PDB file of all heavy atoms in Angstrom:
ATOM      1  N   TYR A   9      -1.567   7.299 -43.954  1.00 95.00           N
ATOM      2  CA  TYR A   9      -1.428   5.843 -43.856  1.00 95.00           C
ATOM      3  C   TYR A   9      -2.731   5.083 -43.971  1.00 95.00           C
ATOM      4  O   TYR A   9      -2.712   3.849 -44.085  1.00 95.00           O
ATOM      5  CB  TYR A   9      -0.733   5.474 -42.540  1.00 95.00           C
ATOM      6  CG  TYR A   9       0.698   5.996 -42.455  1.00 95.00           C
ATOM      7  CD1 TYR A   9       0.982   7.143 -41.704  1.00 95.00           C
ATOM      8  CD2 TYR A   9       1.736   5.385 -43.140  1.00 95.00           C
ATOM      9  CE1 TYR A   9       2.272   7.657 -41.626  1.00 95.00           C
ATOM     10  CE2 TYR A   9       3.026   5.905 -43.061  1.00 95.00           C
ATOM     11  CZ  TYR A   9       3.294   7.026 -42.317  1.00 95.00           C
ATOM     12  OH  TYR A   9       4.541   7.500 -42.255  1.00 95.00           O
ATOM     13  N   GLY A  10      -3.867   5.779 -43.960  1.00 92.00           N
ATOM     14  CA  GLY A  10      -5.146   5.088 -44.072  1.00 92.00           C
ATOM     15  C   GLY A  10      -5.742   4.771 -42.701  1.00 92.00           C
ATOM     16  O   GLY A  10      -5.064   4.856 -41.665  1.00 92.00           O
ATOM     17  N   THR A  11      -7.013   4.416 -42.692  1.00 92.00           N
ATOM     18  CA  THR A  11      -7.726   4.220 -41.409  1.00 92.00           C
ATOM     19  C   THR A  11      -7.820   2.775 -40.958  1.00 92.00           C
ATOM     20  O   THR A  11      -8.467   2.474 -39.975  1.00 92.00           O
ATOM     21  CB  THR A  11      -9.189   4.787 -41.558  1.00 92.00           C
ATOM     22  OG1 THR A  11      -9.888   4.031 -42.545  1.00 92.00           O
ATOM     23  CG2 THR A  11      -9.163   6.245 -41.903  1.00 92.00           C
ATOM     24  N   LYS A  12      -7.179   1.878 -41.687  1.00 84.00           N
ATOM     25  CA  LYS A  12      -7.215   0.461 -41.249  1.00 84.00           C
ATOM     26  C   LYS A  12      -6.481   0.316 -39.932  1.00 84.00           C
ATOM     27  O   LYS A  12      -5.573   1.083 -39.604  1.00 84.00           O
ATOM     28  CB  LYS A  12      -6.580  -0.453 -42.291  1.00 84.00           C
ATOM     29  CG  LYS A  12      -7.388  -0.527 -43.576  1.00 84.00           C
ATOM     30  CD  LYS A  12      -6.737  -1.490 -44.572  1.00 84.00           C
ATOM     31  CE  LYS A  12      -7.593  -1.613 -45.840  1.00 84.00           C
ATOM     32  NZ  LYS A  12      -6.997  -2.522 -46.814  1.00 84.00           N
ATOM     33  N   GLU A  13      -6.892  -0.682 -39.144  1.00 76.00           N
ATOM     34  CA  GLU A  13      -6.406  -0.811 -37.773  1.00 76.00           C
ATOM     35  C   GLU A  13      -4.898  -0.914 -37.666  1.00 76.00           C
ATOM     36  O   GLU A  13      -4.303  -0.450 -36.708  1.00 76.00           O
ATOM     37  CB  GLU A  13      -7.024  -2.054 -37.131  1.00 76.00           C
ATOM     38  CG  GLU A  13      -8.507  -1.951 -36.849  1.00 76.00           C
ATOM     39  CD  GLU A  13      -9.076  -3.193 -36.204  1.00 76.00           C
ATOM     40  OE1 GLU A  13      -8.291  -3.894 -35.561  1.00 76.00           O
ATOM     41  OE2 GLU A  13     -10.267  -3.438 -36.344  1.00 76.00           O
ATOM     42  N   GLU A  14      -4.254  -1.524 -38.623  1.00 82.00           N
ATOM     43  CA  GLU A  14      -2.830  -1.850 -38.494  1.00 82.00           C
ATOM     44  C   GLU A  14      -1.913  -0.668 -38.812  1.00 82.00           C
ATOM     45  O   GLU A  14      -0.668  -0.842 -38.749  1.00 82.00           O
ATOM     46  CB  GLU A  14      -2.464  -3.036 -39.418  1.00 82.00           C
ATOM     47  CG  GLU A  14      -3.246  -4.308 -39.167  1.00 82.00           C
ATOM     48  CD  GLU A  14      -4.632  -4.309 -39.841  1.00 82.00           C
ATOM     49  OE1 GLU A  14      -4.914  -3.339 -40.593  1.00 82.00           O
ATOM     50  OE2 GLU A  14      -5.390  -5.227 -39.604  1.00 82.00           O
ATOM     51  N   THR A  15      -2.437   0.499 -39.160  1.00 93.00           N
ATOM     52  CA  THR A  15      -1.574   1.541 -39.653  1.00 93.00           C
ATOM     53  C   THR A  15      -1.126   2.521 -38.567  1.00 93.00           C
ATOM     54  O   THR A  15       0.051   2.913 -38.558  1.00 93.00           O
ATOM     55  CB  THR A  15      -2.267   2.345 -40.776  1.00 93.00           C
ATOM     56  OG1 THR A  15      -3.507   2.878 -40.262  1.00 93.00           O
ATOM     57  CG2 THR A  15      -2.569   1.452 -41.939  1.00 93.00           C
ATOM     58  N   ILE A  16      -2.034   2.954 -37.713  1.00 96.00           N
ATOM     59  CA  ILE A  16      -1.760   3.939 -36.666  1.00 96.00           C
ATOM     60  C   ILE A  16      -2.286   3.419 -35.322  1.00 96.00           C
ATOM     61  O   ILE A  16      -3.377   2.890 -35.237  1.00 96.00           O
ATOM     62  CB  ILE A  16      -2.454   5.297 -36.948  1.00 96.00           C
ATOM     63  CG1 ILE A  16      -2.083   5.782 -38.349  1.00 96.00           C
ATOM     64  CG2 ILE A  16      -2.103   6.333 -35.905  1.00 96.00           C
ATOM     65  CD1 ILE A  16      -0.621   6.107 -38.519  1.00 96.00           C
ATOM     66  N   TYR A  17      -1.472   3.628 -34.276  1.00 97.00           N
ATOM     67  CA  TYR A  17      -1.890   3.228 -32.931  1.00 97.00           C
ATOM     68  C   TYR A  17      -1.547   4.338 -31.945  1.00 97.00           C
ATOM     69  O   TYR A  17      -0.812   5.288 -32.259  1.00 97.00           O
ATOM     70  CB  TYR A  17      -1.126   1.978 -32.464  1.00 97.00           C
ATOM     71  CG  TYR A  17      -1.452   0.703 -33.234  1.00 97.00           C
ATOM     72  CD1 TYR A  17      -0.667   0.282 -34.318  1.00 97.00           C
ATOM     73  CD2 TYR A  17      -2.525  -0.111 -32.838  1.00 97.00           C
ATOM     74  CE1 TYR A  17      -0.975  -0.902 -34.993  1.00 97.00           C
ATOM     75  CE2 TYR A  17      -2.839  -1.273 -33.502  1.00 97.00           C
ATOM     76  CZ  TYR A  17      -2.054  -1.666 -34.559  1.00 97.00           C
ATOM     77  OH  TYR A  17      -2.336  -2.849 -35.220  1.00 97.00           O
ATOM     78  N   PHE A  18      -2.039   4.189 -30.692  1.00 97.00           N
ATOM     79  CA  PHE A  18      -1.429   4.869 -29.572  1.00 97.00           C
ATOM     80  C   PHE A  18      -0.880   3.810 -28.655  1.00 97.00           C
ATOM     81  O   PHE A  18      -1.143   2.594 -28.837  1.00 97.00           O
ATOM     82  CB  PHE A  18      -2.419   5.803 -28.848  1.00 97.00           C
ATOM     83  CG  PHE A  18      -3.553   5.116 -28.136  1.00 97.00           C
ATOM     84  CD1 PHE A  18      -3.442   4.819 -26.774  1.00 97.00           C
ATOM     85  CD2 PHE A  18      -4.733   4.799 -28.778  1.00 97.00           C
ATOM     86  CE1 PHE A  18      -4.501   4.206 -26.112  1.00 97.00           C
ATOM     87  CE2 PHE A  18      -5.790   4.187 -28.116  1.00 97.00           C
ATOM     88  CZ  PHE A  18      -5.667   3.883 -26.781  1.00 97.00           C
ATOM     89  N   TYR A  19      -0.076   4.177 -27.644  1.00 97.00           N
ATOM     90  CA  TYR A  19       0.507   3.222 -26.714  1.00 97.00           C
ATOM     91  C   TYR A  19       0.127   3.643 -25.301  1.00 97.00           C
ATOM     92  O   TYR A  19       0.367   4.785 -24.901  1.00 97.00           O
ATOM     93  CB  TYR A  19       2.025   3.151 -26.823  1.00 97.00           C
ATOM     94  CG  TYR A  19       2.621   2.069 -25.951  1.00 97.00           C
ATOM     95  CD1 TYR A  19       2.850   0.782 -26.438  1.00 97.00           C
ATOM     96  CD2 TYR A  19       2.943   2.333 -24.614  1.00 97.00           C
ATOM     97  CE1 TYR A  19       3.380  -0.223 -25.641  1.00 97.00           C
ATOM     98  CE2 TYR A  19       3.473   1.333 -23.809  1.00 97.00           C
ATOM     99  CZ  TYR A  19       3.673   0.073 -24.323  1.00 97.00           C
ATOM    100  OH  TYR A  19       4.180  -0.925 -23.519  1.00 97.00           O
ATOM    101  N   ASN A  20      -0.501   2.715 -24.554  1.00 96.00           N
ATOM    102  CA  ASN A  20      -0.875   3.011 -23.183  1.00 96.00           C
ATOM    103  C   ASN A  20      -0.799   1.739 -22.375  1.00 96.00           C
ATOM    104  O   ASN A  20      -1.715   0.909 -22.366  1.00 96.00           O
ATOM    105  CB  ASN A  20      -2.280   3.597 -23.132  1.00 96.00           C
ATOM    106  CG  ASN A  20      -2.630   4.114 -21.716  1.00 96.00           C
ATOM    107  OD1 ASN A  20      -1.971   3.782 -20.754  1.00 96.00           O
ATOM    108  ND2 ASN A  20      -3.672   4.932 -21.634  1.00 96.00           N
ATOM    109  N   HIS A  21       0.365   1.597 -21.698  1.00 95.00           N
ATOM    110  CA  HIS A  21       0.536   0.420 -20.802  1.00 95.00           C
ATOM    111  C   HIS A  21       1.647   0.794 -19.818  1.00 95.00           C
ATOM    112  O   HIS A  21       2.817   0.383 -19.970  1.00 95.00           O
ATOM    113  CB  HIS A  21       0.904  -0.847 -21.603  1.00 95.00           C
ATOM    114  CG  HIS A  21       0.933  -2.073 -20.752  1.00 95.00           C
ATOM    115  ND1 HIS A  21      -0.212  -2.656 -20.216  1.00 95.00           N
ATOM    116  CD2 HIS A  21       1.983  -2.883 -20.357  1.00 95.00           C
ATOM    117  CE1 HIS A  21       0.151  -3.725 -19.516  1.00 95.00           C
ATOM    118  NE2 HIS A  21       1.462  -3.891 -19.581  1.00 95.00           N
ATOM    119  N   GLY A  22       1.299   1.600 -18.823  1.00 95.00           N
ATOM    120  CA  GLY A  22       2.277   2.105 -17.882  1.00 95.00           C
ATOM    121  C   GLY A  22       2.997   3.315 -18.418  1.00 95.00           C
ATOM    122  O   GLY A  22       3.534   4.118 -17.657  1.00 95.00           O
ATOM    123  N   ILE A  23       3.045   3.468 -19.731  1.00 96.00           N
ATOM    124  CA  ILE A  23       3.610   4.615 -20.449  1.00 96.00           C
ATOM    125  C   ILE A  23       2.563   5.055 -21.445  1.00 96.00           C
ATOM    126  O   ILE A  23       1.923   4.243 -22.084  1.00 96.00           O
ATOM    127  CB  ILE A  23       4.912   4.252 -21.173  1.00 96.00           C
ATOM    128  CG1 ILE A  23       5.927   3.583 -20.269  1.00 96.00           C
ATOM    129  CG2 ILE A  23       5.504   5.467 -21.885  1.00 96.00           C
ATOM    130  CD1 ILE A  23       7.054   2.901 -21.030  1.00 96.00           C
ATOM    131  N   GLU A  24       2.428   6.374 -21.548  1.00 96.00           N
ATOM    132  CA  GLU A  24       1.435   6.878 -22.536  1.00 96.00           C
ATOM    133  C   GLU A  24       2.179   7.634 -23.643  1.00 96.00           C
ATOM    134  O   GLU A  24       2.890   8.597 -23.393  1.00 96.00           O
ATOM    135  CB  GLU A  24       0.440   7.810 -21.845  1.00 96.00           C
ATOM    136  CG  GLU A  24      -0.465   7.130 -20.852  1.00 96.00           C
ATOM    137  CD  GLU A  24      -1.512   8.051 -20.308  1.00 96.00           C
ATOM    138  OE1 GLU A  24      -1.795   9.079 -20.935  1.00 96.00           O
ATOM    139  OE2 GLU A  24      -2.036   7.757 -19.175  1.00 96.00           O
ATOM    140  N   VAL A  25       1.972   7.154 -24.876  1.00 98.00           N
ATOM    141  CA  VAL A  25       2.490   7.809 -26.061  1.00 98.00           C
ATOM    142  C   VAL A  25       1.325   8.005 -27.005  1.00 98.00           C
ATOM    143  O   VAL A  25       0.553   7.078 -27.277  1.00 98.00           O
ATOM    144  CB  VAL A  25       3.612   6.987 -26.741  1.00 98.00           C
ATOM    145  CG1 VAL A  25       3.996   7.626 -28.046  1.00 98.00           C
ATOM    146  CG2 VAL A  25       4.814   6.884 -25.824  1.00 98.00           C
ATOM    147  N   ASP A  26       1.170   9.211 -27.508  1.00 98.00           N
ATOM    148  CA  ASP A  26      -0.073   9.582 -28.233  1.00 98.00           C
ATOM    149  C   ASP A  26      -0.246   8.816 -29.519  1.00 98.00           C
ATOM    150  O   ASP A  26      -1.356   8.386 -29.859  1.00 98.00           O
ATOM    151  CB  ASP A  26      -0.088  11.097 -28.491  1.00 98.00           C
ATOM    152  CG  ASP A  26      -0.201  11.889 -27.204  1.00 98.00           C
ATOM    153  OD1 ASP A  26      -0.958  11.457 -26.282  1.00 98.00           O
ATOM    154  OD2 ASP A  26       0.448  12.928 -27.078  1.00 98.00           O
ATOM    155  N   PHE A  27       0.847   8.636 -30.296  1.00 98.00           N
ATOM    156  CA  PHE A  27       0.725   7.935 -31.583  1.00 98.00           C
ATOM    157  C   PHE A  27       1.975   7.101 -31.824  1.00 98.00           C
ATOM    158  O   PHE A  27       3.093   7.479 -31.438  1.00 98.00           O
ATOM    159  CB  PHE A  27       0.565   8.930 -32.747  1.00 98.00           C
ATOM    160  CG  PHE A  27      -0.667   9.776 -32.674  1.00 98.00           C
ATOM    161  CD1 PHE A  27      -0.592  11.088 -32.235  1.00 98.00           C
ATOM    162  CD2 PHE A  27      -1.913   9.245 -33.000  1.00 98.00           C
ATOM    163  CE1 PHE A  27      -1.713  11.868 -32.151  1.00 98.00           C
ATOM    164  CE2 PHE A  27      -3.071  10.033 -32.914  1.00 98.00           C
ATOM    165  CZ  PHE A  27      -2.963  11.338 -32.487  1.00 98.00           C
ATOM    166  N   TYR A  28       1.722   5.979 -32.516  1.00 98.00           N
ATOM    167  CA  TYR A  28       2.864   5.134 -32.932  1.00 98.00           C
ATOM    168  C   TYR A  28       2.550   4.648 -34.356  1.00 98.00           C
ATOM    169  O   TYR A  28       1.457   4.129 -34.609  1.00 98.00           O
ATOM    170  CB  TYR A  28       3.102   3.973 -31.998  1.00 98.00           C
ATOM    171  CG  TYR A  28       4.236   3.085 -32.446  1.00 98.00           C
ATOM    172  CD1 TYR A  28       5.552   3.550 -32.386  1.00 98.00           C
ATOM    173  CD2 TYR A  28       4.021   1.804 -32.947  1.00 98.00           C
ATOM    174  CE1 TYR A  28       6.608   2.765 -32.804  1.00 98.00           C
ATOM    175  CE2 TYR A  28       5.071   1.014 -33.339  1.00 98.00           C
ATOM    176  CZ  TYR A  28       6.382   1.482 -33.290  1.00 98.00           C
ATOM    177  OH  TYR A  28       7.432   0.704 -33.693  1.00 98.00           O
ATOM    178  N   VAL A  29       3.515   4.805 -35.265  1.00 97.00           N
ATOM    179  CA  VAL A  29       3.377   4.388 -36.635  1.00 97.00           C
ATOM    180  C   VAL A  29       4.297   3.176 -36.858  1.00 97.00           C
ATOM    181  O   VAL A  29       5.535   3.379 -36.996  1.00 97.00           O
ATOM    182  CB  VAL A  29       3.716   5.504 -37.628  1.00 97.00           C
ATOM    183  CG1 VAL A  29       3.454   5.066 -39.071  1.00 97.00           C
ATOM    184  CG2 VAL A  29       2.972   6.798 -37.292  1.00 97.00           C
ATOM    185  N   PRO A  30       3.789   1.973 -36.875  1.00 97.00           N
ATOM    186  CA  PRO A  30       4.651   0.792 -36.996  1.00 97.00           C
ATOM    187  C   PRO A  30       5.481   0.760 -38.271  1.00 97.00           C
ATOM    188  O   PRO A  30       6.653   0.358 -38.241  1.00 97.00           O
ATOM    189  CB  PRO A  30       3.654  -0.395 -36.996  1.00 97.00           C
ATOM    190  CG  PRO A  30       2.435   0.148 -36.324  1.00 97.00           C
ATOM    191  CD  PRO A  30       2.378   1.586 -36.707  1.00 97.00           C
ATOM    192  N   SER A  31       4.880   1.191 -39.412  1.00 96.00           N
ATOM    193  CA  SER A  31       5.590   1.090 -40.667  1.00 96.00           C
ATOM    194  C   SER A  31       6.865   1.934 -40.744  1.00 96.00           C
ATOM    195  O   SER A  31       7.835   1.592 -41.448  1.00 96.00           O
ATOM    196  CB  SER A  31       4.675   1.440 -41.838  1.00 96.00           C
ATOM    197  OG  SER A  31       4.226   2.763 -41.715  1.00 96.00           O
ATOM    198  N   THR A  32       6.879   3.053 -40.008  1.00 96.00           N
ATOM    199  CA  THR A  32       8.054   3.911 -40.013  1.00 96.00           C
ATOM    200  C   THR A  32       8.758   3.933 -38.647  1.00 96.00           C
ATOM    201  O   THR A  32       9.727   4.637 -38.460  1.00 96.00           O
ATOM    202  CB  THR A  32       7.678   5.348 -40.367  1.00 96.00           C
ATOM    203  OG1 THR A  32       6.725   5.854 -39.433  1.00 96.00           O
ATOM    204  CG2 THR A  32       7.073   5.421 -41.759  1.00 96.00           C
ATOM    205  N   GLU A  33       8.221   3.147 -37.715  1.00 97.00           N
ATOM    206  CA  GLU A  33       8.770   3.065 -36.361  1.00 97.00           C
ATOM    207  C   GLU A  33       8.949   4.466 -35.753  1.00 97.00           C
ATOM    208  O   GLU A  33       9.990   4.837 -35.302  1.00 97.00           O
ATOM    209  CB  GLU A  33      10.093   2.283 -36.369  1.00 97.00           C
ATOM    210  CG  GLU A  33       9.904   0.844 -36.831  1.00 97.00           C
ATOM    211  CD  GLU A  33      11.210   0.057 -36.966  1.00 97.00           C
ATOM    212  OE1 GLU A  33      12.268   0.677 -36.758  1.00 97.00           O
ATOM    213  OE2 GLU A  33      11.163  -1.145 -37.302  1.00 97.00           O
ATOM    214  N   THR A  34       7.833   5.193 -35.765  1.00 98.00           N
ATOM    215  CA  THR A  34       7.811   6.572 -35.284  1.00 98.00           C
ATOM    216  C   THR A  34       6.902   6.719 -34.099  1.00 98.00           C
ATOM    217  O   THR A  34       5.734   6.331 -34.143  1.00 98.00           O
ATOM    218  CB  THR A  34       7.354   7.534 -36.408  1.00 98.00           C
ATOM    219  OG1 THR A  34       8.244   7.407 -37.524  1.00 98.00           O
ATOM    220  CG2 THR A  34       7.354   8.967 -35.918  1.00 98.00           C
ATOM    221  N   ALA A  35       7.426   7.275 -33.007  1.00 98.00           N
ATOM    222  CA  ALA A  35       6.627   7.580 -31.802  1.00 98.00           C
ATOM    223  C   ALA A  35       6.395   9.082 -31.741  1.00 98.00           C
ATOM    224  O   ALA A  35       7.331   9.866 -31.958  1.00 98.00           O
ATOM    225  CB  ALA A  35       7.357   7.109 -30.556  1.00 98.00           C
ATOM    226  N   ILE A  36       5.144   9.518 -31.465  1.00 98.00           N
ATOM    227  CA  ILE A  36       4.781  10.915 -31.503  1.00 98.00           C
ATOM    228  C   ILE A  36       4.033  11.294 -30.266  1.00 98.00           C
ATOM    229  O   ILE A  36       3.023  10.635 -29.872  1.00 98.00           O
ATOM    230  CB  ILE A  36       3.929  11.212 -32.731  1.00 98.00           C
ATOM    231  CG1 ILE A  36       4.658  10.875 -34.012  1.00 98.00           C
ATOM    232  CG2 ILE A  36       3.499  12.675 -32.754  1.00 98.00           C
ATOM    233  CD1 ILE A  36       3.802  10.913 -35.277  1.00 98.00           C
ATOM    234  N   GLN A  37       4.494  12.328 -29.586  1.00 98.00           N
ATOM    235  CA  GLN A  37       3.738  12.960 -28.512  1.00 98.00           C
ATOM    236  C   GLN A  37       3.175  14.282 -29.017  1.00 98.00           C
ATOM    237  O   GLN A  37       3.737  14.940 -29.891  1.00 98.00           O
ATOM    238  CB  GLN A  37       4.684  13.245 -27.325  1.00 98.00           C
ATOM    239  CG  GLN A  37       5.147  12.007 -26.567  1.00 98.00           C
ATOM    240  CD  GLN A  37       4.050  11.429 -25.688  1.00 98.00           C
ATOM    241  OE1 GLN A  37       3.067  10.886 -26.243  1.00 98.00           O
ATOM    242  NE2 GLN A  37       4.194  11.527 -24.399  1.00 98.00           N
ATOM    243  N   VAL A  38       2.044  14.695 -28.436  1.00 98.00           N
ATOM    244  CA  VAL A  38       1.427  15.969 -28.787  1.00 98.00           C
ATOM    245  C   VAL A  38       1.302  16.800 -27.502  1.00 98.00           C
ATOM    246  O   VAL A  38       0.734  16.360 -26.523  1.00 98.00           O
ATOM    247  CB  VAL A  38       0.030  15.775 -29.401  1.00 98.00           C
ATOM    248  CG1 VAL A  38      -0.569  17.131 -29.777  1.00 98.00           C
ATOM    249  CG2 VAL A  38       0.117  14.862 -30.642  1.00 98.00           C
ATOM    250  N   SER A  39       1.895  17.983 -27.546  1.00 96.00           N
ATOM    251  CA  SER A  39       1.855  18.882 -26.398  1.00 96.00           C
ATOM    252  C   SER A  39       1.726  20.304 -26.922  1.00 96.00           C
ATOM    253  O   SER A  39       2.529  20.748 -27.747  1.00 96.00           O
ATOM    254  CB  SER A  39       3.138  18.775 -25.558  1.00 96.00           C
ATOM    255  OG  SER A  39       3.142  19.686 -24.491  1.00 96.00           O
ATOM    256  N   TYR A  40       0.727  21.031 -26.451  1.00 96.00           N
ATOM    257  CA  TYR A  40       0.448  22.354 -27.009  1.00 96.00           C
ATOM    258  C   TYR A  40       1.637  23.269 -26.858  1.00 96.00           C
ATOM    259  O   TYR A  40       2.025  24.008 -27.772  1.00 96.00           O
ATOM    260  CB  TYR A  40      -0.785  22.960 -26.324  1.00 96.00           C
ATOM    261  CG  TYR A  40      -1.301  24.191 -27.036  1.00 96.00           C
ATOM    262  CD1 TYR A  40      -2.125  24.053 -28.145  1.00 96.00           C
ATOM    263  CD2 TYR A  40      -0.909  25.457 -26.636  1.00 96.00           C
ATOM    264  CE1 TYR A  40      -2.565  25.159 -28.829  1.00 96.00           C
ATOM    265  CE2 TYR A  40      -1.333  26.559 -27.310  1.00 96.00           C
ATOM    266  CZ  TYR A  40      -2.161  26.415 -28.401  1.00 96.00           C
ATOM    267  OH  TYR A  40      -2.598  27.548 -29.065  1.00 96.00           O
ATOM    268  N   SER A  41       2.326  23.202 -25.713  1.00 94.00           N
ATOM    269  CA  SER A  41       3.516  24.035 -25.484  1.00 94.00           C
ATOM    270  C   SER A  41       4.533  23.243 -24.687  1.00 94.00           C
ATOM    271  O   SER A  41       4.129  22.383 -23.893  1.00 94.00           O
ATOM    272  CB  SER A  41       3.117  25.313 -24.729  1.00 94.00           C
ATOM    273  OG  SER A  41       4.271  26.019 -24.333  1.00 94.00           O
TER     274      SER A  41
END
């Protein structure tokens, strides 16, 4: 998606989500196991 600010985020406000992609409305957590 590119490195511009508006493409990839994380979410941290009482809830922690590792990545959020606004263009595809995708939330992603990363956990080794």
Side-chain angles (χ1 to χ4, degrees):
Y9 296 102
T11 63
K12 292 183 179 180
E13 291 181 24
E14 301 83 5
T15 58
I16 305 297
Y17 293 95
F18 68 94
Y19 185 93
N20 189 343
H21 187 69
I23 306 166
E24 294 185 21
V25 174
D26 294 321
F27 298 102
Y28 180 68
V29 185
S31 61
T32 60
E33 297 175 358
T34 301
I36 300 170
Q37 290 286 68
V38 181
S39 177
Y40 192 83
S41 171

